[in-house]
Amino acid sequence: MFTRIQTVAFQGIEVLDVDVQVQLSPGMPKFQIGGLPDKAVAESRERVRAALHAMGLALPTKHIAVNLSPADIQKEGSHFDLPIALGLLVAMRAIPSDAIENSIALGELALDGKIAPVSGVLPAAIHASAQEKNLICPQACGGEAAWADDVQVLAPSSLLAFVNHVRGIQVMNPPQPEIENITQKITLDLRDIKGQKSAKRALEVVAAGGHNMLMVGPPGAGKSMLAARLPGILPPLEPQEALDVTMIHSLAGKLKEGRLIRTRPFRDPHHSASMPSLVGGGLRANPGEVSLAHLVVLFLDELPEFQRGVLEALRQPLETGKIMVSRANAHATYPARVQLIAAMNPCRCGHMADSERACSRAPQCGADYQAKISGPILDRIDIHIDVPEVSARELTNPAAGESSEIIAQRVLETRQLQLSRYKPFGDNVRTNAEADGETLDRVAPLDKKSELLLKNATEKFKLSARGYRRVQRVTRTLADLEKCEIIKEHHVAEALSYRRIYY
Ligand SMILES: Nc1ncnc2c1ncn2[C@@H]1O[C@H](COP(=O)(O)OP(=O)(O)O)[C@@H](O)[C@H]1O
Ligand SMILES: [Mg+2]
């Protein structure tokens, strides 16, 4: 008896078809899985055996051969349990073959027959939809699968639930798409930050235009505090963005209760984090923090403390919006269009600018410390600001600042303006930060005075072509915040102030 059922394998965000073939033949009772399985797949045998036993079914005393085809791609993970078990059930005539026909199945089996959640259900569902197939997945992932358009999803809690559904004993309802609750109140408010008026303004500009930012200042100035409040003023993800972000989290197995992600997650890996955890990799070429931060904020606190290799590896995603994860036998490419927010002290002790507290090696220590960040990385950051210490007066008697809610509204309006402006330019540009040279020339017209100021500044500060574009991008955002079509002189002046001299 021969049966087949479809499942998938993942290579980066690419979904590949895998055929699970099950054959029962007379001969020595044996259960074999072939087709380049990794350890988790090979262990599938025991889980399938136990899960069938939990339903009161014993494996037939025959030679059972399972083949995962095509045999030349590595099969990884535990999601092959369910298709193998379903193929066996058909081969054993416990369910009719049309129950699994035209379906893609994935799920892990527990020893008691329950179907445990697995990663990658959303991309698998989108793949099933494109092929006009149905999807059979774990109950816990049903809410996630239901987000794919036009795909019939069956999300049984256990193998028995599936069999009962097929036999019409207990019919399952299709899962409903679940969404993350975004009405929750902003917990970290910009109003909590005393003083730091110009840093708060820069944060608003950064949020509005999607720019990268580097904050430099002494310890305790409030840099981490500022960064943590950025997600609170960013608009929720657009529907397609939400799907993309959720897909990567699904692949990484990091989706909370299978809900679609709407708020922009804030990824802030520690500087001691390893290369694979940051840029992706490891045994299964999993997505790393830069991919989990796709379309959202990647906050790197104490930037110079990150391993040199990690900082260099960041260049690729900052330039191309993608990251290639290499491993022994394959490459996987993940999207990684991040908004980079970085913070650092000006030197190791942090007090270089304060002559009373600076160490004896100042300013050389600062030069050494800042040299850890390479030029190409600095070049990719549109906005550089100094965050000085808050004065005692501002700490004890602060002026009332605006709340995150009010700022978020302005940011949202500016983002919508950009979305409609860049629509004719295709999917690649949605914010000013993503606009390239030619696009900028078209969308950021200067008036006479601003043109002169920019020209003079370019000569005086010896701006590189990249540096010039950076200023241009920021002026576009500044003008957008004021709903100004033409760039004015004060926009150029402010944009020029978001530069910093490095030692
Ligand atoms: N501007 C500020 N307003 C209110 N509290 C502040 C401010 N700056 C710093 N603090 C306090 O100091 C602590 C350290 O700030 P933090 O953001 O970690 O500084 P940094 O990252 O610049 O070293 C914060 O948890 C907060 O309690
Ligand atoms: Mg800090």
Side-chain angles (χ1 to χ4, degrees), residues 223-224 301-302:
K223 303 182 295 293
S224 309
D301 207 354
E302 314 293 355

Side-chain angles (χ1 to χ4, degrees), residues 210 212 289-291 293-298 317-318 336-340:
N212 296 333
E289 289 289 337
V290 278
S291 298
H294 177 55
L295 301 179
V296 300
V297 178
L298 176 69
L318 289 182
R337 247 206 265 175
V338 302
Q339 181 171 11
L340 175 70

Side-chain angles (χ1 to χ4, degrees), residues 6-81:
Q6 239 192 27
T7 185
V8 289
F10 302 103
Q11 223 162 61
I13 55 163
E14 211 183 323
V15 182
L16 308 172
D17 282 314
V18 171
D19 219 18
V20 177
Q21 303 154 356
V22 181
Q23 182 156 42
L24 301 185
S25 52
M28 279 279 281
K30 208 172 174 189
F31 187 178
Q32 271 184 328
I33 299 180
L36 214 58
D38 80 345
K39 202 156 181 293
V41 183
E43 285 168 355
S44 193
R45 269 190 314 224
E46 288 315 311
R47 291 191 295 268
V48 170
R49 193 196 304 270
L52 291 183
H53 181 75
M55 288 202 313
L57 288 173
L59 281 180
T61 47
K62 290 190 172 170
H63 184 93
I64 306 168
V66 172
N67 183 39
L68 308 173
S69 158
D72 61 347
I73 48 174
Q74 179 89 43
K75 318 297 182 310
E76 294 164 315
S78 52
H79 68 263
F80 295 95
D81 292 2

